[in-house]
Amino acid sequence: MADDDPTTEFSPSADPSGSSVGAPVRVRVRADTLRPLLSAVGSLVDECRVTFGPDGIRAAAMDPATVAAVEVELSASATTAYEADGTTVGVDVTRLREVLGMADDDDPVTLAFDPDGRRLHVVAGELEYAMGLFDPESVRGPPDIDELGFEHTAALTLPGETVGRFVAAAGMVADHLTLGVDPGEGAFVASADGDTDDVRFVVPAEEAAAFEGGEAESLFSLSYLECIERAVPSGADVRVTLGREAPLGVEYEVADGGGRVEAFVAPRLQAV
Amino acid sequence: MADDDPTTEFSPSADPSGSSVGAPVRVRVRADTLRPLLSAVGSLVDECRVTFGPDGIRAAAMDPATVAAVEVELSASATTAYEADGTTVGVDVTRLREVLGMADDDDPVTLAFDPDGRRLHVVAGELEYAMGLFDPESVRGPPDIDELGFEHTAALTLPGETVGRFVAAAGMVADHLTLGVDPGEGAFVASADGDTDDVRFVVPAEEAAAFEGGEAESLFSLSYLECIERAVPSGADVRVTLGREAPLGVEYEVADGGGRVEAFVAPRLQAV
Amino acid sequence: MADDDPTTEFSPSADPSGSSVGAPVRVRVRADTLRPLLSAVGSLVDECRVTFGPDGIRAAAMDPATVAAVEVELSASATTAYEADGTTVGVDVTRLREVLGMADDDDPVTLAFDPDGRRLHVVAGELEYAMGLFDPESVRGPPDIDELGFEHTAALTLPGETVGRFVAAAGMVADHLTLGVDPGEGAFVASADGDTDDVRFVVPAEEAAAFEGGEAESLFSLSYLECIERAVPSGADVRVTLGREAPLGVEYEVADGGGRVEAFVAPRLQAV
């Protein structure tokens, strides 16, 4: 069972596997610190690779159609206890979200591996859940996003709610939308054309934080943006990066800056 | 984009069609002023004729089975800016409700026609929506309700919630209900008979405002009353008129008296 | 119509059948006093036998597969007016819950029989509902639970919410769960084994009220526990009794102690 004092370091008896030998990962962290990270990954995939590195947890995933990718990180400093040796495992994200759904927001949750590394023990209050892990080699790995070296020509920071609104507006008329910056107008523009109706959503530069307005315009499938947007925590500010027929970047902090989510969506070809 | 000050008159730059020539209708009005009118029309039809007259907006519709009709009006004085020349257009009510659903209650919404009158521009905050209009001749027109000259023998005013309760009560046992006034009892009575169960809902004259209690009794299909009742705004008082095997009238004010909804339902033949 | 003063005794005019002759049952009681009793019975069956005895109301039911039984009682002292002669009738519980759903929590509800005992009149405010009754002989009768003489070896009292949590936790991995007490550990343990994942939910003796910890362990189908748990009112404390491959007992008070619910679930055979 979890210790009620989340600041206490692990004692051997807190190890649900009954032994500290060969169980290299033990993390204690509030449920609401983990939730937005799992939501971000779970918006694109059901299973993903998670690495428990020496300085924090990192997970990355790419959707089955390889159109969108997401990378999340949580610093060890955002946890209340952290021990890890760099192990990478394959995790059922959907299931782990359900298990965390049983915990209250401020419940300390303990994650620990079996000695043989085949199961993840999740302890939250009275609940002890042993979850089967996958071979990480069997889970689709995302590309290294930094290596892809996407270049953006425009960037701006928006409330997450604004992203939700232009995605919903576009969804009234079409299944895709164009995102761009018109340097002349000095505004970010989301637009979608339907059979009979069109919609435009305009954010002037002065209403966006950190507006860098080079020319940019790309077409995206709406469904990926809907998934990514749904995972943005209420109240979060989102940094959006755009280019000319280039990927969309969506980036935000979670856990009071102790965690970070970065998502990318590949553009669709523009109809000529 | 909409001006943030809803009391400002239109300036040419506020015209989303980019030109004031030949665009005869421009209205600015709070989202929550329009919503109950659209709900009332949308409860019976998906498309309807809307007339932007010199003194206000008027829409009327009849359900496909021609059992129920609804007429709504909004006075120009209930808007914050109003310019119109009497144009009648065919509007997709369901879609317009969705677009207004993107606005906050107190958002000023601008409605304006394309110069060629084929699209309605709806501007609400950052959102600009161009909606295709129908030829009004292609939309079923309702009868002129005043010309039908319905005569009622009883009338009373009830909280909208009370209408909701007797409609729900009848729905537990049957798909139709009898509404009437028993002059002897001095009460409004809604009743429904099912196979094994019966339900009666009695409002004594002293609990109803403006009770005029001539003899009245008619049978109605429940589904029309359910549609009409769902559109009544919370807290509204509803004037109900009844006759002997005569249409039911349901009437209420919206927008603090600046708008009015009037609905009629034809009676069913009583089983002998 | 119901008298607005719930403490008033019945006057003849309050009898909706228009006559006090031969109508032996008349009860007035708050809607929220009846609701948890009906929820408990309705969680297992749609129809049940109800006895209006001289000291109170009693209903009992067994689910169609005869795995679970429930017995509920309401003392006459928990009502605001009570007259009954021991009549037993068959009641459509699902329907009666719907009718009570039309009443506010503190609405006084009057239950009275037709003179011929074939219909139950439910009066709540403006609503008068006449419900057809069943011949009680046509409704499956439960066994006399006291006669079955279940013996338990362990018992404890838990918040209803805790029962909800271990039932939900087990549901993540399996359709059955094991409930038991480990006298060595001094704890109540709910556990379930799935194909890849296992879950354990441990309540130490010191966190449970009235812990009597003999050895106990039995396997149950989850669906019955889910039904029974859903009916527990928010905030109620639940007494749980367990044995060795013996029925589970679940017992709680309702209506501030004026009513009582007792449910039993038969154990499943343990796989060898």
Side-chain angles (χ1 to χ4, degrees), chain C residues 139-181:
Chain C
V139 180
R140 183 185 316 103
D144 185 318
I145 288 166
D146 292 336
E147 276 192 9
L148 292 180
F150 295 144
E151 299 213 351
H152 61 262
T153 54
L156 71 166
T157 299
L158 295 170
E161 282 70 23
T162 300
V163 178
R165 291 179 67 202
F166 71 68
V167 166
M172 288 194 287
V173 302
D175 60 2
H176 53 267
L177 86 173
T178 301
L179 298 180
V181 164

mmCIF file of all heavy atoms in Angstrom, chain C residues 139-181:
data_model
loop_
_atom_site.group_PDB
_atom_site.id
_atom_site.type_symbol
_atom_site.label_atom_id
_atom_site.label_comp_id
_atom_site.label_asym_id
_atom_site.label_seq_id
_atom_site.Cartn_x
_atom_site.Cartn_y
_atom_site.Cartn_z
ATOM 1 N N VAL C 139 -45.694 -13.400 -8.856
ATOM 2 C CA VAL C 139 -44.351 -12.818 -8.779
ATOM 3 C C VAL C 139 -43.456 -13.768 -7.991
ATOM 4 O O VAL C 139 -43.857 -14.264 -6.945
ATOM 5 C CB VAL C 139 -44.404 -11.442 -8.081
ATOM 6 C CG1 VAL C 139 -43.017 -10.831 -8.007
ATOM 7 C CG2 VAL C 139 -45.364 -10.511 -8.798
ATOM 8 N N ARG C 140 -42.262 -14.007 -8.514
ATOM 9 C CA ARG C 140 -41.337 -14.919 -7.849
ATOM 10 C C ARG C 140 -41.097 -14.474 -6.418
ATOM 11 O O ARG C 140 -40.730 -13.338 -6.151
ATOM 12 C CB ARG C 140 -39.993 -14.952 -8.580
ATOM 13 C CG ARG C 140 -39.013 -15.950 -7.969
ATOM 14 C CD ARG C 140 -37.636 -15.885 -8.622
ATOM 15 N NE ARG C 140 -37.742 -15.814 -10.064
ATOM 16 C CZ ARG C 140 -37.577 -14.714 -10.773
ATOM 17 N NH1 ARG C 140 -37.287 -13.579 -10.190
ATOM 18 N NH2 ARG C 140 -37.696 -14.737 -12.077
ATOM 19 N N GLY C 141 -41.316 -15.372 -5.500
ATOM 20 C CA GLY C 141 -41.067 -15.038 -4.101
ATOM 21 C C GLY C 141 -39.657 -15.441 -3.728
ATOM 22 O O GLY C 141 -39.148 -16.456 -4.198
ATOM 23 N N PRO C 142 -39.022 -14.650 -2.897
ATOM 24 C CA PRO C 142 -37.679 -15.005 -2.441
ATOM 25 C C PRO C 142 -37.795 -16.025 -1.326
ATOM 26 O O PRO C 142 -38.865 -16.197 -0.727
ATOM 27 C CB PRO C 142 -37.152 -13.687 -1.896
ATOM 28 C CG PRO C 142 -38.378 -13.007 -1.377
ATOM 29 C CD PRO C 142 -39.523 -13.445 -2.243
ATOM 30 N N PRO C 143 -36.714 -16.701 -1.018
ATOM 31 C CA PRO C 143 -36.724 -17.582 0.143
ATOM 32 C C PRO C 143 -36.772 -16.726 1.397
ATOM 33 O O PRO C 143 -36.478 -15.536 1.362
ATOM 34 C CB PRO C 143 -35.383 -18.297 0.043
ATOM 35 C CG PRO C 143 -34.497 -17.331 -0.666
ATOM 36 C CD PRO C 143 -35.382 -16.573 -1.611
ATOM 37 N N ASP C 144 -37.137 -17.316 2.494
ATOM 38 C CA ASP C 144 -37.045 -16.603 3.770
ATOM 39 C C ASP C 144 -35.584 -16.605 4.182
ATOM 40 O O ASP C 144 -35.009 -17.645 4.515
ATOM 41 C CB ASP C 144 -37.900 -17.296 4.839
ATOM 42 C CG ASP C 144 -37.912 -16.487 6.124
ATOM 43 O OD1 ASP C 144 -36.840 -15.974 6.516
ATOM 44 O OD2 ASP C 144 -38.990 -16.359 6.723
ATOM 45 N N ILE C 145 -34.982 -15.426 4.115
ATOM 46 C CA ILE C 145 -33.535 -15.355 4.298
ATOM 47 C C ILE C 145 -33.134 -15.803 5.697
ATOM 48 O O ILE C 145 -32.125 -16.477 5.884
ATOM 49 C CB ILE C 145 -33.042 -13.925 3.987
ATOM 50 C CG1 ILE C 145 -33.125 -13.700 2.468
ATOM 51 C CG2 ILE C 145 -31.633 -13.712 4.474
ATOM 52 C CD1 ILE C 145 -32.992 -12.266 2.039
ATOM 53 N N ASP C 146 -33.954 -15.460 6.681
ATOM 54 C CA ASP C 146 -33.611 -15.865 8.045
ATOM 55 C C ASP C 146 -33.585 -17.383 8.166
ATOM 56 O O ASP C 146 -32.723 -17.959 8.833
ATOM 57 C CB ASP C 146 -34.625 -15.274 9.037
ATOM 58 C CG ASP C 146 -34.501 -13.760 9.120
ATOM 59 O OD1 ASP C 146 -33.406 -13.242 8.800
ATOM 60 O OD2 ASP C 146 -35.492 -13.107 9.477
ATOM 61 N N GLU C 147 -34.540 -18.046 7.486
ATOM 62 C CA GLU C 147 -34.605 -19.507 7.577
ATOM 63 C C GLU C 147 -33.386 -20.174 6.970
ATOM 64 O O GLU C 147 -32.997 -21.266 7.373
ATOM 65 C CB GLU C 147 -35.854 -20.024 6.854
ATOM 66 C CG GLU C 147 -37.097 -19.972 7.720
ATOM 67 C CD GLU C 147 -38.244 -20.754 7.098
ATOM 68 O OE1 GLU C 147 -38.009 -21.458 6.094
ATOM 69 O OE2 GLU C 147 -39.366 -20.642 7.614
ATOM 70 N N LEU C 148 -32.812 -19.530 5.928
ATOM 71 C CA LEU C 148 -31.639 -20.128 5.290
ATOM 72 C C LEU C 148 -30.480 -20.213 6.273
ATOM 73 O O LEU C 148 -29.598 -21.053 6.142
ATOM 74 C CB LEU C 148 -31.225 -19.320 4.058
ATOM 75 C CG LEU C 148 -32.223 -19.390 2.896
ATOM 76 C CD1 LEU C 148 -31.724 -18.561 1.719
ATOM 77 C CD2 LEU C 148 -32.435 -20.838 2.452
ATOM 78 N N GLY C 149 -30.484 -19.333 7.261
ATOM 79 C CA GLY C 149 -29.509 -19.418 8.351
ATOM 80 C C GLY C 149 -28.066 -19.358 7.904
ATOM 81 O O GLY C 149 -27.242 -20.171 8.317
ATOM 82 N N PHE C 150 -27.759 -18.395 7.024
ATOM 83 C CA PHE C 150 -26.371 -18.251 6.588
ATOM 84 C C PHE C 150 -25.489 -17.967 7.794
ATOM 85 O O PHE C 150 -25.835 -17.152 8.650
ATOM 86 C CB PHE C 150 -26.237 -17.072 5.619
ATOM 87 C CG PHE C 150 -26.980 -17.283 4.340
ATOM 88 C CD1 PHE C 150 -27.595 -16.214 3.707
ATOM 89 C CD2 PHE C 150 -27.060 -18.538 3.752
ATOM 90 C CE1 PHE C 150 -28.275 -16.391 2.522
ATOM 91 C CE2 PHE C 150 -27.742 -18.721 2.561
ATOM 92 C CZ PHE C 150 -28.356 -17.641 1.949
ATOM 93 N N GLU C 151 -24.338 -18.606 7.846
ATOM 94 C CA GLU C 151 -23.387 -18.300 8.907
ATOM 95 C C GLU C 151 -22.191 -17.590 8.302
ATOM 96 O O GLU C 151 -21.646 -18.020 7.296
ATOM 97 C CB GLU C 151 -22.932 -19.592 9.588
ATOM 98 C CG GLU C 151 -24.092 -20.334 10.214
ATOM 99 C CD GLU C 151 -23.679 -21.077 11.469
ATOM 100 O OE1 GLU C 151 -22.461 -21.150 11.732
ATOM 101 O OE2 GLU C 151 -24.577 -21.578 12.177
ATOM 102 N N HIS C 152 -21.801 -16.509 8.921
ATOM 103 C CA HIS C 152 -20.616 -15.818 8.423
ATOM 104 C C HIS C 152 -19.490 -15.964 9.435
ATOM 105 O O HIS C 152 -19.732 -16.125 10.641
ATOM 106 C CB HIS C 152 -20.909 -14.349 8.116
ATOM 107 C CG HIS C 152 -21.347 -13.549 9.295
ATOM 108 N ND1 HIS C 152 -22.667 -13.287 9.571
ATOM 109 C CD2 HIS C 152 -20.635 -12.952 10.272
ATOM 110 C CE1 HIS C 152 -22.750 -12.560 10.668
ATOM 111 N NE2 HIS C 152 -21.540 -12.343 11.114
ATOM 112 N N THR C 153 -18.269 -15.933 8.920
ATOM 113 C CA THR C 153 -17.091 -16.058 9.782
ATOM 114 C C THR C 153 -16.373 -14.726 9.926
ATOM 115 O O THR C 153 -15.482 -14.591 10.753
ATOM 116 C CB THR C 153 -16.105 -17.081 9.180
ATOM 117 O OG1 THR C 153 -15.832 -16.690 7.829
ATOM 118 C CG2 THR C 153 -16.710 -18.477 9.187
ATOM 119 N N ALA C 154 -16.746 -13.762 9.097
ATOM 120 C CA ALA C 154 -16.091 -12.451 9.157
ATOM 121 C C ALA C 154 -17.119 -11.385 8.834
ATOM 122 O O ALA C 154 -18.081 -11.637 8.104
ATOM 123 C CB ALA C 154 -14.929 -12.372 8.158
ATOM 124 N N ALA C 155 -16.918 -10.209 9.398
ATOM 125 C CA ALA C 155 -17.833 -9.099 9.142
ATOM 126 C C ALA C 155 -17.065 -7.802 9.301
ATOM 127 O O ALA C 155 -16.089 -7.733 10.059
ATOM 128 C CB ALA C 155 -19.012 -9.134 10.118
ATOM 129 N N LEU C 156 -17.471 -6.793 8.564
ATOM 130 C CA LEU C 156 -16.860 -5.472 8.737
ATOM 131 C C LEU C 156 -17.794 -4.429 8.142
ATOM 132 O O LEU C 156 -18.693 -4.762 7.370
ATOM 133 C CB LEU C 156 -15.480 -5.394 8.088
ATOM 134 C CG LEU C 156 -15.374 -5.391 6.571
ATOM 135 C CD1 LEU C 156 -13.967 -4.956 6.166
ATOM 136 C CD2 LEU C 156 -15.654 -6.790 6.007
ATOM 137 N N THR C 157 -17.586 -3.184 8.538
ATOM 138 C CA THR C 157 -18.409 -2.088 8.036
ATOM 139 C C THR C 157 -17.534 -1.134 7.247
ATOM 140 O O THR C 157 -16.472 -0.722 7.719
ATOM 141 C CB THR C 157 -19.102 -1.369 9.206
ATOM 142 O OG1 THR C 157 -19.949 -2.311 9.867
ATOM 143 C CG2 THR C 157 -19.952 -0.210 8.700
ATOM 144 N N LEU C 158 -17.990 -0.823 6.032
ATOM 145 C CA LEU C 158 -17.209 -0.012 5.099
ATOM 146 C C LEU C 158 -18.076 1.120 4.570
ATOM 147 O O LEU C 158 -19.292 0.969 4.459
ATOM 148 C CB LEU C 158 -16.792 -0.850 3.888
ATOM 149 C CG LEU C 158 -15.842 -2.000 4.103
ATOM 150 C CD1 LEU C 158 -15.755 -2.835 2.842
ATOM 151 C CD2 LEU C 158 -14.472 -1.446 4.469
ATOM 152 N N PRO C 159 -17.471 2.243 4.171
ATOM 153 C CA PRO C 159 -18.247 3.229 3.424
ATOM 154 C C PRO C 159 -18.733 2.604 2.117
ATOM 155 O O PRO C 159 -18.005 1.831 1.478
ATOM 156 C CB PRO C 159 -17.233 4.345 3.128
ATOM 157 C CG PRO C 159 -16.104 4.130 4.086
ATOM 158 C CD PRO C 159 -16.074 2.658 4.370
ATOM 159 N N GLY C 160 -19.956 2.932 1.715
ATOM 160 C CA GLY C 160 -20.480 2.422 0.448
ATOM 161 C C GLY C 160 -19.552 2.728 -0.717
ATOM 162 O O GLY C 160 -19.408 1.929 -1.645
ATOM 163 N N GLU C 161 -18.887 3.887 -0.659
ATOM 164 C CA GLU C 161 -17.974 4.270 -1.739
ATOM 165 C C GLU C 161 -16.835 3.262 -1.875
ATOM 166 O O GLU C 161 -16.337 3.019 -2.978
ATOM 167 C CB GLU C 161 -17.382 5.662 -1.476
ATOM 168 C CG GLU C 161 -18.323 6.816 -1.789
ATOM 169 C CD GLU C 161 -19.492 6.931 -0.811
ATOM 170 O OE1 GLU C 161 -19.369 6.437 0.340
ATOM 171 O OE2 GLU C 161 -20.540 7.475 -1.196
ATOM 172 N N THR C 162 -16.394 2.697 -0.752
ATOM 173 C CA THR C 162 -15.304 1.724 -0.813
ATOM 174 C C THR C 162 -15.763 0.462 -1.536
ATOM 175 O O THR C 162 -15.022 -0.121 -2.330
ATOM 176 C CB THR C 162 -14.817 1.394 0.615
ATOM 177 O OG1 THR C 162 -14.359 2.604 1.213
ATOM 178 C CG2 THR C 162 -13.698 0.376 0.596
ATOM 179 N N VAL C 163 -17.004 0.049 -1.260
ATOM 180 C CA VAL C 163 -17.542 -1.105 -1.988
ATOM 181 C C VAL C 163 -17.550 -0.789 -3.485
ATOM 182 O O VAL C 163 -17.136 -1.600 -4.321
ATOM 183 C CB VAL C 163 -18.962 -1.446 -1.492
ATOM 184 C CG1 VAL C 163 -19.546 -2.605 -2.282
ATOM 185 C CG2 VAL C 163 -18.937 -1.760 0.001
ATOM 186 N N GLY C 164 -17.995 0.422 -3.831
ATOM 187 C CA GLY C 164 -18.007 0.813 -5.236
ATOM 188 C C GLY C 164 -16.630 0.755 -5.858
ATOM 189 O O GLY C 164 -16.471 0.359 -7.015
ATOM 190 N N ARG C 165 -15.613 1.116 -5.076
ATOM 191 C CA ARG C 165 -14.264 1.157 -5.646
ATOM 192 C C ARG C 165 -13.703 -0.236 -5.878
ATOM 193 O O ARG C 165 -13.064 -0.491 -6.896
ATOM 194 C CB ARG C 165 -13.337 1.969 -4.744
ATOM 195 C CG ARG C 165 -13.708 3.454 -4.761
ATOM 196 C CD ARG C 165 -12.815 4.267 -3.859
ATOM 197 N NE ARG C 165 -11.460 4.289 -4.365
ATOM 198 C CZ ARG C 165 -10.393 4.543 -3.630
ATOM 199 N NH1 ARG C 165 -10.523 4.778 -2.350
ATOM 200 N NH2 ARG C 165 -9.195 4.553 -4.167
ATOM 201 N N PHE C 166 -13.931 -1.178 -4.944
ATOM 202 C CA PHE C 166 -13.331 -2.496 -5.210
ATOM 203 C C PHE C 166 -14.111 -3.251 -6.279
ATOM 204 O O PHE C 166 -13.534 -4.040 -7.032
ATOM 205 C CB PHE C 166 -13.052 -3.300 -3.927
ATOM 206 C CG PHE C 166 -14.212 -3.867 -3.159
ATOM 207 C CD1 PHE C 166 -14.989 -4.890 -3.671
ATOM 208 C CD2 PHE C 166 -14.476 -3.423 -1.872
ATOM 209 C CE1 PHE C 166 -16.025 -5.441 -2.924
ATOM 210 C CE2 PHE C 166 -15.507 -3.958 -1.122
ATOM 211 C CZ PHE C 166 -16.293 -4.969 -1.654
ATOM 212 N N VAL C 167 -15.401 -2.974 -6.384
ATOM 213 C CA VAL C 167 -16.165 -3.591 -7.468
ATOM 214 C C VAL C 167 -15.676 -3.052 -8.822
ATOM 215 O O VAL C 167 -15.462 -3.807 -9.773
ATOM 216 C CB VAL C 167 -17.675 -3.332 -7.265
ATOM 217 C CG1 VAL C 167 -18.468 -3.661 -8.522
ATOM 218 C CG2 VAL C 167 -18.183 -4.144 -6.077
ATOM 219 N N ALA C 168 -15.445 -1.742 -8.905
ATOM 220 C CA ALA C 168 -14.963 -1.156 -10.162
ATOM 221 C C ALA C 168 -13.557 -1.650 -10.490
ATOM 222 O O ALA C 168 -13.230 -1.926 -11.648
ATOM 223 C CB ALA C 168 -14.980 0.366 -10.067
ATOM 224 N N ALA C 169 -12.711 -1.773 -9.453
ATOM 225 C CA ALA C 169 -11.339 -2.227 -9.685
ATOM 226 C C ALA C 169 -11.335 -3.644 -10.250
ATOM 227 O O ALA C 169 -10.639 -3.945 -11.222
ATOM 228 C CB ALA C 169 -10.543 -2.157 -8.378
ATOM 229 N N ALA C 170 -12.139 -4.526 -9.655
ATOM 230 C CA ALA C 170 -12.197 -5.906 -10.144
ATOM 231 C C ALA C 170 -12.708 -5.931 -11.580
ATOM 232 O O ALA C 170 -12.242 -6.722 -12.409
ATOM 233 C CB ALA C 170 -13.099 -6.739 -9.239
ATOM 234 N N GLY C 171 -13.658 -5.040 -11.882
ATOM 235 C CA GLY C 171 -14.247 -5.016 -13.218
ATOM 236 C C GLY C 171 -13.259 -4.664 -14.310
ATOM 237 O O GLY C 171 -13.522 -4.912 -15.488
ATOM 238 N N MET C 172 -12.118 -4.083 -13.954
ATOM 239 C CA MET C 172 -11.120 -3.776 -14.984
ATOM 240 C C MET C 172 -10.475 -5.034 -15.537
ATOM 241 O O MET C 172 -9.954 -5.026 -16.646
ATOM 242 C CB MET C 172 -10.043 -2.848 -14.407
ATOM 243 C CG MET C 172 -10.546 -1.425 -14.188
ATOM 244 S SD MET C 172 -9.182 -0.256 -13.901
ATOM 245 C CE MET C 172 -8.710 -0.742 -12.242
ATOM 246 N N VAL C 173 -10.461 -6.121 -14.764
ATOM 247 C CA VAL C 173 -9.716 -7.297 -15.227
ATOM 248 C C VAL C 173 -10.552 -8.568 -15.361
ATOM 249 O O VAL C 173 -10.117 -9.513 -16.013
ATOM 250 C CB VAL C 173 -8.512 -7.603 -14.299
ATOM 251 C CG1 VAL C 173 -7.585 -6.402 -14.218
ATOM 252 C CG2 VAL C 173 -8.963 -8.020 -12.913
ATOM 253 N N ALA C 174 -11.733 -8.637 -14.736
ATOM 254 C CA ALA C 174 -12.442 -9.918 -14.729
ATOM 255 C C ALA C 174 -13.933 -9.693 -14.535
ATOM 256 O O ALA C 174 -14.377 -8.575 -14.285
ATOM 257 C CB ALA C 174 -11.907 -10.813 -13.605
ATOM 258 N N ASP C 175 -14.721 -10.766 -14.671
ATOM 259 C CA ASP C 175 -16.154 -10.673 -14.414
ATOM 260 C C ASP C 175 -16.530 -11.372 -13.105
ATOM 261 O O ASP C 175 -17.691 -11.660 -12.860
ATOM 262 C CB ASP C 175 -16.960 -11.229 -15.589
ATOM 263 C CG ASP C 175 -16.659 -12.690 -15.858
ATOM 264 O OD1 ASP C 175 -15.841 -13.279 -15.108
ATOM 265 O OD2 ASP C 175 -17.233 -13.245 -16.803
ATOM 266 N N HIS C 176 -15.534 -11.644 -12.290
ATOM 267 C CA HIS C 176 -15.801 -12.203 -10.975
ATOM 268 C C HIS C 176 -14.730 -11.679 -10.027
ATOM 269 O O HIS C 176 -13.713 -11.130 -10.474
ATOM 270 C CB HIS C 176 -15.764 -13.733 -11.025
ATOM 271 C CG HIS C 176 -14.507 -14.248 -11.634
ATOM 272 N ND1 HIS C 176 -14.398 -14.534 -12.979
ATOM 273 C CD2 HIS C 176 -13.280 -14.472 -11.104
ATOM 274 C CE1 HIS C 176 -13.166 -14.940 -13.236
ATOM 275 N NE2 HIS C 176 -12.466 -14.907 -12.123
ATOM 276 N N LEU C 177 -14.964 -11.815 -8.740
ATOM 277 C CA LEU C 177 -13.948 -11.377 -7.782
ATOM 278 C C LEU C 177 -14.025 -12.233 -6.533
ATOM 279 O O LEU C 177 -15.057 -12.832 -6.232
ATOM 280 C CB LEU C 177 -14.084 -9.895 -7.447
ATOM 281 C CG LEU C 177 -15.040 -9.462 -6.345
ATOM 282 C CD1 LEU C 177 -14.882 -7.983 -6.086
ATOM 283 C CD2 LEU C 177 -16.461 -9.758 -6.757
ATOM 284 N N THR C 178 -12.909 -12.293 -5.840
ATOM 285 C CA THR C 178 -12.827 -13.034 -4.584
ATOM 286 C C THR C 178 -12.853 -12.028 -3.441
ATOM 287 O O THR C 178 -12.116 -11.049 -3.459
ATOM 288 C CB THR C 178 -11.513 -13.838 -4.528
ATOM 289 O OG1 THR C 178 -11.494 -14.729 -5.648
ATOM 290 C CG2 THR C 178 -11.419 -14.637 -3.240
ATOM 291 N N LEU C 179 -13.730 -12.281 -2.477
ATOM 292 C CA LEU C 179 -13.764 -11.448 -1.277
ATOM 293 C C LEU C 179 -13.361 -12.322 -0.103
ATOM 294 O O LEU C 179 -13.813 -13.465 0.004
ATOM 295 C CB LEU C 179 -15.173 -10.890 -1.045
ATOM 296 C CG LEU C 179 -15.725 -9.983 -2.134
ATOM 297 C CD1 LEU C 179 -17.134 -9.509 -1.762
ATOM 298 C CD2 LEU C 179 -14.811 -8.787 -2.359
ATOM 299 N N GLY C 180 -12.529 -11.786 0.766
ATOM 300 C CA GLY C 180 -12.115 -12.606 1.894
ATOM 301 C C GLY C 180 -11.466 -11.791 2.979
ATOM 302 O O GLY C 180 -11.260 -10.582 2.846
ATOM 303 N N VAL C 181 -11.189 -12.472 4.073
ATOM 304 C CA VAL C 181 -10.445 -11.864 5.162
ATOM 305 C C VAL C 181 -9.268 -12.770 5.441
ATOM 306 O O VAL C 181 -9.416 -13.990 5.543
ATOM 307 C CB VAL C 181 -11.322 -11.713 6.422
ATOM 308 C CG1 VAL C 181 -10.456 -11.453 7.650
ATOM 309 C CG2 VAL C 181 -12.310 -10.577 6.224
#
